[in-house]
Amino acid sequence: MSDEEPKPKVSDATPDEQKVTDRDAAADRPAGMKASDYVKGGVPPLNIFLHWCKACNLCIAFCPQKVLEPDRDGKPVLAHPEKCTQCAICWLHCPDFAITSNYK
Amino acid sequence: MSDEEPKPKVSDATPDEQKVTDRDAAADRPAGMKASDYVKGGVPPLNIFLHWCKACNLCIAFCPQKVLEPDRDGKPVLAHPEKCTQCAICWLHCPDFAITSNYK
Amino acid sequence: MTMQKAIVKMLQGNEACVYGALYAGVEFFAGYPITPSTEIAEGMARELPRRGGKFIQMEDEIGSIAAVIGAANAGCKAMTATSGPGFSLMQENIGYAYMTETPCVIINVQRGGPSTGLPTKIAQSDTMQARWGTHGDYTAIAVAPSSARECFSETVRAFNLSERFRTPVIVLTDEVLGHMREIMTIPQAGELRVVDRVRPDVPHEWYRHFEITPSFVSPMASFGEGYRYNVSGLTHDQDGFPTAIPEEIKTKLDKLRLKIERYIDEITSFRTEMMDDAHVAVISYGSVARAAYQAVRMARERRIKVGAIQPFTIWPLGEIRLRELLIPIKKVIVAELNMGQLVHEIRRVAPRHTEVFSLNRYDGEVMTPHQILDKIREVL
Amino acid sequence: MTMQKAIVKMLQGNEACVYGALYAGVEFFAGYPITPSTEIAEGMARELPRRGGKFIQMEDEIGSIAAVIGAANAGCKAMTATSGPGFSLMQENIGYAYMTETPCVIINVQRGGPSTGLPTKIAQSDTMQARWGTHGDYTAIAVAPSSARECFSETVRAFNLSERFRTPVIVLTDEVLGHMREIMTIPQAGELRVVDRVRPDVPHEWYRHFEITPSFVSPMASFGEGYRYNVSGLTHDQDGFPTAIPEEIKTKLDKLRLKIERYIDEITSFRTEMMDDAHVAVISYGSVARAAYQAVRMARERRIKVGAIQPFTIWPLGEIRLRELLIPIKKVIVAELNMGQLVHEIRRVAPRHTEVFSLNRYDGEVMTPHQILDKIREVL
Amino acid sequence: MTHQPLQSEVTHHYLRPKKKFPNVWCAGCGNGIVMGALIRAIDKLGLDKNDVAVISGIGCSSRMPVYLDFNTLHTTHGRALAFATGVKIAKPQMKVIVITGDGDALAIGGNHFIHACRRNIDITAVLINNKIYGMTGGQFAPTTPGGMIATTAPHGNYEKQFDVVKLAIGAGASYVARGTVYHVTQLEKLITGGLRKKGFALIDAFSNCHTYYGRMNREGDAVAMIRWFKKHAMPVEAAARIPPEKLKDKFITGLIHETDATEFCEEYHWLVDRLSGKEAEK
Amino acid sequence: MTHQPLQSEVTHHYLRPKKKFPNVWCAGCGNGIVMGALIRAIDKLGLDKNDVAVISGIGCSSRMPVYLDFNTLHTTHGRALAFATGVKIAKPQMKVIVITGDGDALAIGGNHFIHACRRNIDITAVLINNKIYGMTGGQFAPTTPGGMIATTAPHGNYEKQFDVVKLAIGAGASYVARGTVYHVTQLEKLITGGLRKKGFALIDAFSNCHTYYGRMNREGDAVAMIRWFKKHAMPVEAAARIPPEKLKDKFITGLIHETDATEFCEEYHWLVDRLSGKEAEK
Amino acid sequence: MNAAGGKEQKGKKSKGIQVDSDRYEIRLSGSGGQGLILAGVILAEGLGIGDGKNVVQTQSYGPEARGGASRADVVVSEREIHYPKTMKLDMLLAMTQEACDKYYPDMKESGVLIIDSTLVTQVPTKRYYGLPFTRLAREEIGIVMVANVIALGAIAELTGIVSREAIRDAVLARAPRGTEEKNKQALELGFSEAKKLKRT
Amino acid sequence: MNAAGGKEQKGKKSKGIQVDSDRYEIRLSGSGGQGLILAGVILAEGLGIGDGKNVVQTQSYGPEARGGASRADVVVSEREIHYPKTMKLDMLLAMTQEACDKYYPDMKESGVLIIDSTLVTQVPTKRYYGLPFTRLAREEIGIVMVANVIALGAIAELTGIVSREAIRDAVLARAPRGTEEKNKQALELGFSEAKKLKRT
Ligand SMILES: Cc1ncc(C[n+]2csc(CCOP(=O)(O)OP(=O)(O)O)c2C)c(N)n1
Ligand SMILES: Cc1ncc(C[n+]2csc(CCOP(=O)(O)OP(=O)(O)O)c2C)c(N)n1
Ligand code: SF4
Ligand code: SF4
Ligand code: SF4
Ligand code: SF4
Ligand code: SF4
Ligand code: SF4
Ligand SMILES: [Mg+2]
Ligand SMILES: [Mg+2]
């Protein structure tokens, strides 16, 4: 019952720091590659910034392909990356911008 | 340009005093008498309390029969009482309750 | 509403205000949620409909105090509760309550300011606002409890003063007090005095809603009881009709002042601790008073002759009684959770030989006994 | 806006405020009509669109001060004008202006209170409210002119102080002053100093909207200039982000106080008359000061050694300078159109040997020179 | 009771005995005409004076309660409906009437207005709509038509207007009517209807402020302005039968909107009843 | 510029570099979803960050500006639109966006809301409507449906609700749309439309507060509440073709109302132009 | 500029301690529609702008703002005018009986009373000037509304407090477009009628 | 009632000047979901209502209101409790590593530290009691949520500050309908596990 300041979980990483890390990880994504090519191409369809994720379960629940599964902490893992159709539902609904796609 | 207190013209008569006076005047009005009977009955169709009247001209302007005419101060006088149809337009529109009818 | 057997409860300060108000006979609550006062509204929303009382959550604080004043004129014991931002918004209509001599109670659970400030942190920085917050001339009553027990009893007292003097009364509590839970025994019915407004005993036609009486307090009828009076926020005569006559204006304003000034002894109230042989005194109110008592205990262990004074009534402060208390005192420390507010008043009131020191904290944290102890040692 | 040749005008106090504001470079006015301040809004509605400035009549006073603060953050010199009831309604957002250090000017043309009170009659009963009206801790600046000429010049000064210290500044005038017409020469361009807020001179990324500087005043960028800062009424750090860290909280509140306290000499200003050999002094402000000067003239004819002090800055009062002025004074009369407000401050500030008397009037009429003269003779 | 007063004298029985007349309004101001219609409506319904509360804000129109021999509360600017809400909830058995102006209700009081509509609380609000702030001397209101002159719109009003009826309906009011001071019998009926309605009723009463609005906009004196109402009013029933182009310079009058919805105090009463069995838990 | 960012990364470019993440909101709170949609709408329109002002009141939703790398003003409860009005008039060339909650905009802020609608000032207001006061811990709002539990309606809410869309239309808004946090692409389009519109645009964005509203009313967690939006939303185009009885438990989404009217700042600008010839008179 | 720039100001001691012999207090009074506030403003402008004197004009609002008794006060002085309200009137213009009765007691013994003899029939003293301003306006100029201007002319002539040129300029500056000629006529009529009076 | 009726109150001088030897300060800490505020309230009610002691329970709001570290403080005394906040803890319950690290420095040297050994792995001292509250709750009772109640049982047993009966009544008074049995089990488990610990 607190005004103004509901619930934090403060992280020390700034969005910029965060971005750099993740962009590096996806640096050599093949342009125009489809998600279904993942297994071959070796670039994952999505990046998940666990640091920002609050384990709300939205991405997992809304993914039509059941690509994502919760880890021990309830945060998503790419359990079935090959099934991802890049429909964008997961990252569009992530309230914490904790998912980016390498293809869209 | 004054807040709260536009324009007064304070009178010392209370409505009650006022009423008494005027009710007395019309005390013996003949029940059910029509206005057109005025000339015969001798009771005027309307009473005008000049004390409350602010000479706004509404009664005079709106009377369909042109019964009323302004006096020197712009206040109504019953110029043609015999023409009064008791339509009530004058006293219904008087913002200062300065007219009563003896018939309605 | 009667309470038969002794009930011991753990209550938040805010909840204690709710039960205090119910004890005093509150019948109407209107409010708008704001941290850290919300539990008062929530308690009222739960309790009032159960007892046939009226609760309404208004669209804002302006509407809340307006509805409270409306209900009070319709005969209810009525109240609202808020915090700084809401208290600021209520100021215009609080002035209307002063002017129309409408009894009602406003609880301000203080948080850090100015502006939105620190919604979940403590402050005592609305002290001066409680006296001077609305425009114009008037005399304010504000009380300040320091425990759940006092939240209960001071709320009762606020209602009593408000009914007794036909005036709004402000209860100043704070975030820590509002949220802390404390064990307390709910007073039995009859244990605390409950005052109701004096009703008129004259025929309807003789009634004057703002009659000048020897006590300056006018008996008060309610809407719907056959009196049909007018109430106006314009300066008015004894019948409530707007006036522009200088003598009537002065009479009205004097009435607002005198009905309180004349009864200062009845209105003010102090708690003193270890003052009998003290050379140094700590004056504090609300949450800080508790740190002060603790500090005095600690200082006495060190054989420092210090005492504590806690005014329950902040406005009016009761300067005659206070000056009396300070006569044997050489140094007085005024401890407040603000940059110095009540200290201005103490400076004005203190005897010439009493040096006044200000101890202030305004970082959102409570005043600790150690801080006060340090200050005591510093001024010695 | 340049004024070439000396223009002599008959102006109402309210109109003089309008021309003063235009002289100071006002670009934005938002207001809601209220007697006796309305002529200020009306003047602005006429003049501002002619000069490319912005005028808006808002839905109420809360919206008015909000729009003013919005415009000020968008880079405008902005102001509003109101009277007691509107001033009370503005309090919450005036607190927001203190907290966010937003320069703006609020003119309160005082009328009798409390509540709707006496819309067309004079009072000086919002003096304390101008200091303590909103909740929380802050330091206020308020100035009080006493003639059309001073309405002009004090409005200019209000804008200057507001820009200089990044803070809202209140101009307290009153009904008589607002409506009286007086002959005055409009100052030429350049004759009075016009101050603009200090702009940042650092690269965009380095800019901190609430930076702690040696003067405690932070340079101020505006919206749309590439700085993209955050402004919040929550207690915040130097970047405007809400904070709950005690040290940051204290730093912020100290900043609000120190940026004014440090420059009291620059902010305060007095006019004195016949003080050189006086034993008795009359302190008064606004309309009353004029009666005081007249009374002093009359008393001097009777060989009474009396002088007059008129503080132009009411808050902060400038206690050091005032105490200096009072050193040779045995008795000081504080004359006010209220039940005693600034007198509290004078009591606190006056040297020990100076006896303080209060002369009050609160019946909607002006204080007359004879009243003051009588009081002078009474205290002699 | 035995002496049945003449209809034209009825008003006098509801005026405050102690309050000096004439009233403060300018000669010919429509406020007095509305007051007459209100009194007659109350009289027709046979309400006991003691059971009627009349509450107003600040404005020329809001001065009305002072003259009326009821329980009257002349409050602060814009807040009448909020005060009235308190009175009504405290004493639901009373008839609560609010007299307000277009500035009072729709400018500063807009929030309480829409919330009273939403709550459907049993209050009858008579909004005297003269399209101007009368009392403060002629500043434009949220109802002042575009292009018109006002003291704060000396170059012509460039703001848009509320349509009070649409606003009230949008906010949820259950009885919304419009009348004018010319159509005084209709006005009385509309007020009577509002008083009968269990729920929030709004009567938007077009009135004249010739002193400011009329003078500044060369619309003439009280007579001319009230004649304008006569000419441009269109009863809602007639409007339905007329081609839209003919309605261009008309405004609609009559009972424009009515719905049935439970009333606020009633709902609260049911809650209290429902809980009254549960007193056990303290 | 050469490195075209991935669409899914766009949001990151508009977050404040200095402000620590994650945000203050509860896990799964729709506020973040709306924030994403808003950012993408701004990005699509290619607006310069320096020309965008985002202004909010107080509430969970109103915390949004703190995270956004624009000119941001986090104001007092209910007053965002009034502050925004000042900003917009002062700098008409800026895009002014208001983020507000149902309590902020419709309870305490109702008056500024209807007047912004009336003035048709070029502000885009995104109202995050979670039917509760989130930040203060779950008191009922003017949007909380009847019968629902809230901390100040422990026995069930007995008040009536605003229909935000009707209220905005009644007050004169020129663009009124409704979206949900489930229909996030549509929401983005509706916001884009609002930003494009010259005039006052309202986007009523249904969002979840599972922490209070959901928990107290057993409507489940974020997932369950957002699924409810999916199930009960009915696009306005489809609604037109469907029999009314089938719409009973649905709510309408999409662009519900649009009209053309001159905009406030434009009108003011014309006035200034018109007068600029008259500078002679001082 | 007393307060500008934050500098403290000393009183103008050079002028020394003097009686307010140069202070002159005027009241124009009558009823609401007679334009007396406007007349007060014009007179003040004549004095201040035309003749370069210090001048303050005040009026009393309140219940009598419109309708009822109306009054405008003007204080003139060579020196800085401290107290802006009138204390004891040097001159009173009364355009109605009510105003005459009400304000006559506020006059100095030596004060000049000027009345509109059309409307004031019972004068409380023998020392007064009477001219039928309203009748003159109606009959000579053809508009009742200019009675106030005729009165201004008479005041100028009878008291000499304001110069003819100054009051003429002031009247013309305030005259609505198209009414300049009538107003000038009215003012001249005031001058000449008053002159006659002085001669008698 | 200190202030009731406007009467001035004197301090209870009879008790004289004493050290606060009877003051006992407790903190229950952990993370948001662990129900520690509720545990604090229950403990305080046990102490205050059951055992009739003076007791004050406080908590810290602010950014950490939900999520993050959560804490409830309880001060107990035979005498009137003046200062309601804790100054130096006599007992600390830490249900997470973060809480343990953060609050350990607030303890008196002689203070009692009780940790949830499921989650606190690095204890800053050797003088502490460790019990796997969370694991016990999950494995023995079947609901993780009752870990706080097990901890309350352990506190009662280990510190003796609150009587078994009092804490039992307090737990049951707050237990949601239908969960009474599980909560009772949990409390008893706390008693018994703690007893084992004391014996070792
Ligand atoms: C808080 C506050 N703001 C402003 C005013 C000044 N004021 C008094 S009445 C009024 C407007 C009245 O307009 P309306 O409600 O239309 O009433 P009318 O006089 O036209 O009948 C205003 C702005 C006030 N009294 N209080
Ligand atoms: C003047 C004032 N009154 C009350 C509050 C307390 N308050 C803060 S947010 C809020 C309600 C927020 O509800 P909403 O706008 O729906 O936002 P949400 O948190 O649901 O997103 C309230 C009542 C305040 N900050 N200021
Ligand atoms: S992009 Fe679509 S398919 Fe791929 S993980 Fe996200 S929701 Fe599932
Ligand atoms: S939607 Fe985002 S925050 Fe929620 S679980 Fe998925 S990644 Fe985490
Ligand atoms: S009652 Fe009708 S006819 Fe008779 S005077 Fe009045 S308006 Fe004329
Ligand atoms: S309508 Fe009434 S006030 Fe007006 S002139 Fe006629 S009687 Fe007089
Ligand atoms: S100013 Fe206008 S509204 Fe007010 S009383 Fe006069 S005519 Fe009526
Ligand atoms: S309390 Fe509700 S609205 Fe606020 S952040 Fe949590 S879920 Fe969102
Ligand atoms: Mg109006
Ligand atoms: Mg909400």
Side-chain angles (χ1 to χ4, degrees), chain D residues 204-205 221-229, chain F residues 48-51 71:
Chain D
H204 291 171
E205 316 78 60
S222 308
F223 277 10
E225 294 176 346
Y227 293 91
R228 301 202 305 274
Y229 50 91
Chain F
D48 185 327
K49 283 183 189 182
N50 293 320
D51 293 342
N71 303 277

Side-chain angles (χ1 to χ4, degrees), chain D residues 76-348:
Chain D
C76 291
K77 286 196 178 177
M79 72 174 287
T80 187
T82 188
S83 183
F87 194 56
S88 287
L89 284 174
M90 288 183 185
Q91 290 303 330
E92 189 201 5
N93 280 339
I94 292 178
Y96 184 84
Y98 286 121
M99 183 59 115
T100 57
E101 308 190 41
T102 302
C104 57
V105 169
I106 300 131
I107 301 183
N108 176 356
V109 185
Q110 294 171 94
R111 66 191 217 184
S115 195
T116 318
L118 301 161
T120 58
K121 288 183 167 271
I122 190 172
Q124 296 183 309
S125 46
D126 308 347
T127 300
M128 288 298 268
Q129 190 192 21
R131 170 66 188 89
W132 300 106
T134 190
H135 62 283
D137 273 314
Y138 52 92
T139 300
I141 301 181
V143 302
S146 73
S147 66
R149 220 165 12 140
E150 289 170 14
C151 280
F152 189 105
S153 59
E154 289 298 303
T155 302
V156 173
R157 204 162 68 89
F159 269 102
N160 289 351
L161 292 169
S162 149
E163 294 280 317
R164 167 83 174 81
F165 297 107
R166 265 189 71 175
T167 193
V169 173
I170 292 156
V171 182
L172 284 178
T173 81
D174 58 59
E175 188 277 332
V176 167
L177 194 48
H179 285 156
M180 85 169 59
R181 286 183 184 80
E182 209 164 358
I183 204 79
M184 68 168 285
T185 309
I186 306 276
Q188 310 259 338
E191 200 176 320
L192 300 184
R193 205 157 69 96
V194 169
V195 178
D196 292 322
R197 61 192 76 166
V198 174
R199 303 270 171 186
D201 55 4
V202 295
H204 291 171
E205 316 78 60
W206 294 9
Y207 177 67
R208 311 188 78 176
H209 193 57
F210 299 102
E211 186 168 6
I212 305 286
T213 63
S215 71
F216 293 99
V217 182
S218 318
M220 182 172 176
S222 308
F223 277 10
E225 294 176 346
Y227 293 91
R228 301 202 305 274
Y229 50 91
N230 185 53
V231 177
S232 177
L234 286 166
T235 311
H236 45 254
D237 62 18
Q238 297 185 51
D239 288 310
F241 295 129
T243 182
I245 302 168
E247 295 71 38
E248 288 187 351
I249 294 168
K250 181 170 185 313
T251 303
K252 172 75 202 188
L253 292 188
D254 279 334
K255 178 177 197 280
L256 294 186
R257 181 166 50 88
L258 292 171
K259 71 178 178 180
I260 290 168
E261 232 174 68
R262 290 266 181 110
Y263 298 91
I264 281 222
D265 287 343
E266 194 182 326
I267 296 168
T268 57
S269 163
F270 298 88
R271 171 176 174 176
T272 55
E273 284 282 343
M274 321 244 179
M275 284 294 290
D276 291 356
D277 59 347
H279 299 150
V280 175
V282 180
I283 298 183
S284 59
Y285 51 100
S287 281
V288 180
R290 302 178 64 147
Y293 294 138
Q294 193 78 40
V296 166
R297 262 193 205 166
M298 284 155 42
R300 286 283 177 173
E301 283 171 40
R302 290 158 180 77
R303 298 182 202 289
I304 302 172
K305 295 215 166 170
V306 55
I309 302 173
Q310 176 193 2
F312 291 114
T313 306
I314 300 295
W315 302 111
L317 190 53
E319 56 181 85
I320 292 172
R321 181 78 190 93
L322 194 61
R323 201 173 288 132
E324 247 169 58
L325 286 170
L326 292 180
I327 283 175
I329 300 300
K330 298 214 184 70
K331 311 201 170 183
V332 60
I333 296 164
V334 184
E336 299 177 89
L337 292 174
N338 56 43
M339 289 192 184
Q341 299 201 0
L342 203 68
V343 67
H344 293 308
E345 200 66 6
I346 309 283
R347 286 236 158 78
R348 210 170 54 76

Side-chain angles (χ1 to χ4, degrees), chain A residues 2-7 9 11 14 19 23 29 49 54 56 61-62 91-93 95-97 100-101 104, chain F residues 6-8 12-13 21-29 32-33 35 40 58 63 135-136 181-182 227:
Chain A
S2 110
D3 204 4
E4 323 313 348
E5 283 277 9
K7 62 249 47 89
K9 292 192 181 168
S11 133
T14 69
K19 256 179 294 179
R23 206 176 288 144
R29 66 173 168 264
F49 316 156
K54 290 181 189 148
C56 70
F62 290 155
W91 59 261
L92 284 174
H93 284 91
D96 289 278
F97 312 134
T100 57
S101 148
K104 260 198 177 172
Chain F
L6 287 177
Q7 204 194 322
S8 60
H12 294 196
H13 295 281
F21 269 73
N23 55 46
V24 292
W25 297 311
C26 300
C29 175
I33 306 180
M35 180 154 117
R40 284 186 297 272
I58 299 289
R63 271 302 182 95
M135 176 144 284
T136 41
V181 292
Y182 181 78
R227 279 216 176 102

Side-chain angles (χ1 to χ4, degrees), chain E residues 177-181 183 186-187 190 203-207 251-254:
Chain E
R178 180 180 285 138
T180 88
V181 293
H183 307 86
Q186 179 198 38
L187 184 60
L190 295 171
I203 295 94
D204 184 23
F206 278 17
S207 181
F251 60 91
I252 307 293
T253 59

Side-chain angles (χ1 to χ4, degrees), chain A:
Chain A
M1 263 146 299
S2 110
D3 204 4
E4 323 313 348
E5 283 277 9
K7 62 249 47 89
K9 292 192 181 168
V10 182
S11 133
D12 290 317
T14 69
D16 268 349
E17 288 162 11
Q18 201 64 49
K19 256 179 294 179
V20 170
T21 324
D22 291 282
R23 206 176 288 144
D24 286 352
D28 53 358
R29 66 173 168 264
M33 194 174 180
K34 272 179 289 171
S36 51
D37 300 340
Y38 164 68
V39 182
K40 297 163 245 163
V43 176
L46 304 171
N47 310 307
I48 297 163
F49 316 156
L50 294 181
H51 204 54
W52 285 20
C53 169
K54 290 181 189 148
C56 70
N57 202 36
L58 290 180
C59 54
I60 302 168
F62 290 155
C63 170
Q65 311 302 329
K66 309 272 168 244
V67 172
L68 303 167
E69 283 177 11
D71 70 5
R72 222 188 95 114
D73 296 330
K75 297 185 178 186
V77 282
L78 274 168
H80 309 287
E82 71 289 354
K83 292 204 228 155
C84 175
T85 60
Q86 285 296 349
C87 72
I89 285 180
C90 57
W91 59 261
L92 284 174
H93 284 91
C94 174
D96 289 278
F97 312 134
I99 312 180
T100 57
S101 148
N102 285 326
Y103 299 85
K104 260 198 177 172

Side-chain angles (χ1 to χ4, degrees), chain C residues 24 44 74 79 95 117 137 153 189 245 270 368:
Chain C
M44 289 293 180
M79 71 174 289
D137 273 315
S153 59
I245 302 167
F270 298 88
T368 65

